[in-house]
Amino acid sequence: MAGSLHDVSPEGYIRGHLPNLSYDFSAGRWLTNEEVLNLQGSFLTLHVDTLIFSVSLGLLSIGFLAFIAARATDRTPGRLQGFIEMVLMFVADLVKNIFPDPPKIVPPLALTIFVWVFFMNLMDLVPVDTLNVASQGAIHAKMVPTTDINLTFGMSITVFLMIIYYNIKVKGIGGLTHEMLTVPFGAKMLPANLFLRLVEELAKPITLGLRLFGNLFAAEMIFLLVALLPAWIQWVFGGPWAIYHILVVPLQAFIFTALTVVYLSLAHEKH
């Protein structure tokens, strides 16, 4: 959200917030912001900030759910337990409506994805200059993991691999091959069937990853633009945007979760 310019130009301020904190293991050194922006790192370059925040928030999600489960009571629940039960019912109904008879892994997977993505998206409400100010300019890192396309694609590719696994498990190699070559136009249109199926399958991880990244990255850019305004007017524009973004945070988590369940459900359907 709000931040200070630190006596740099607007272009320099924004460019200073775009790169991830990156370490190139092949060169054995940290990359500068310009090197990251120009994609000068090697294949062994890691976005350290994304790894730290995503893993930490994942552990926080697990710990949070475990804490609620340990304190759960069958008596009149408190507000926090009531809220969690509402989330659990919401995810359970989501899975039931989309995927009536799912494998046992799907409901807990959906809950994990929803809570984890929710916590990662929620970091977008933390002021953009928090780390910079706290470290007195020593650390320039991105605190929102879902604004890193590497993470969103990592998650979507994992879902894609599960889709392939369940396609093979449910239909078998022969059944899947027959389906890819004959649906929807019949065996005589084999090239068209295969082309359309490949496009359909490849579009799933691409759209899944890009949708989450695009929405959170765009929101982060607006917060950066708001931070460029004079301090006295930042909250005039930043406040309403932050309130609106409170709705975006769970919505994007819901969309990613729902599409994951939809894709896994489609993998179980036989044509």
Side-chain angles (χ1 to χ4, degrees):
M1 285 171 56
S4 58
L5 295 180
H6 303 296
D7 299 323
V8 297
S9 66
E11 180 184 359
Y13 179 78
I14 292 177
R15 286 179 66 86
H17 284 78
L18 292 180
N20 288 91
L21 181 64
S22 304
Y23 186 83
D24 188 344
F25 279 89
S26 64
R29 65 182 182 86
W30 296 94
L31 299 181
T32 65
N33 284 353
E34 289 301 319
E35 288 175 328
V36 176
L37 289 173
N38 294 327
L39 303 177
Q40 294 181 9
S42 70
F43 181 75
L44 295 177
T45 298
L46 294 181
H47 289 179
V48 179
D49 47 4
T50 297
L51 289 172
I52 291 175
F53 282 107
S54 62
V55 172
S56 298
L57 292 168
L59 294 174
L60 177 63
S61 303
I62 295 173
F64 176 71
L65 292 175
F67 173 77
I68 298 301
R71 294 173 59 89
T73 176
D74 55 1
R75 300 178 181 178
T76 303
R79 293 181 180 179
L80 185 57
Q81 181 180 333
F83 173 75
I84 297 301
E85 288 179 354
M86 183 179 66
V87 172
L88 288 172
M89 292 178 60
F90 168 76
V91 174
D93 289 341
L94 171 67
V95 174
K96 182 179 180 180
N97 292 332
I98 297 176
F99 200 167
D101 188 24
K104 292 182 179 180
I105 192 177
V106 173
L109 174 67
L111 177 63
T112 302
I113 290 176
F114 180 82
V115 176
W116 189 28
V117 175
F118 175 83
F119 272 107
M120 289 193 290
N121 291 351
L122 195 63
M123 294 298 292
D124 212 12
L125 295 175
V126 178
V128 294
D129 282 326
T130 298
L131 279 179
N132 191 17
V133 172
S135 65
Q136 297 182 347
I139 299 177
H140 294 271
K142 299 178 72 172
M143 299 177 63
V144 189
T146 42
T147 60
D148 185 352
I149 197 170
N150 294 281
L151 180 129
T152 59
F153 264 110
M155 295 178 66
S156 67
I157 290 172
T158 302
V159 173
F160 182 58
L161 293 176
M162 294 184 66
I163 293 171
I164 295 174
Y165 169 76
Y166 280 114
N167 265 307
I168 296 174
K169 181 180 180 181
V170 173
K171 303 165 188 176
I173 296 293
L176 178 60
T177 302
H178 180 267
E179 183 179 287
M180 294 182 68
L181 298 180
T182 61
V183 176
F185 302 121
K188 294 182 179 180
M189 296 291 289
L190 185 151
N193 294 329
L194 181 59
F195 175 75
L196 289 176
R197 182 58 180 262
L198 291 176
V199 170
E200 177 187 351
E201 294 301 324
L202 291 175
K204 291 175 182 177
I206 292 174
T207 55
L208 194 61
L210 284 179
R211 180 181 286 105
L212 181 59
F213 163 75
N215 280 281
L216 271 296
F217 183 80
E220 183 74 1
M221 287 299 300
I222 293 178
F223 280 129
L224 289 175
L225 293 174
V226 169
L228 290 170
L229 299 173
W232 61 272
I233 203 173
Q234 285 183 10
W235 287 101
V236 174
F237 297 97
W241 177 247
I243 294 172
Y244 168 74
H245 198 60
I246 292 174
L247 302 176
V248 174
V249 165
L251 176 62
Q252 293 305 316
F254 164 76
I255 291 174
F256 195 97
T257 304
L259 288 177
T260 297
V261 177
V262 168
Y263 294 155
L264 292 177
S265 175
L266 292 174
H268 283 71
E269 293 182 0
K270 295 182 179 181
H271 298 280

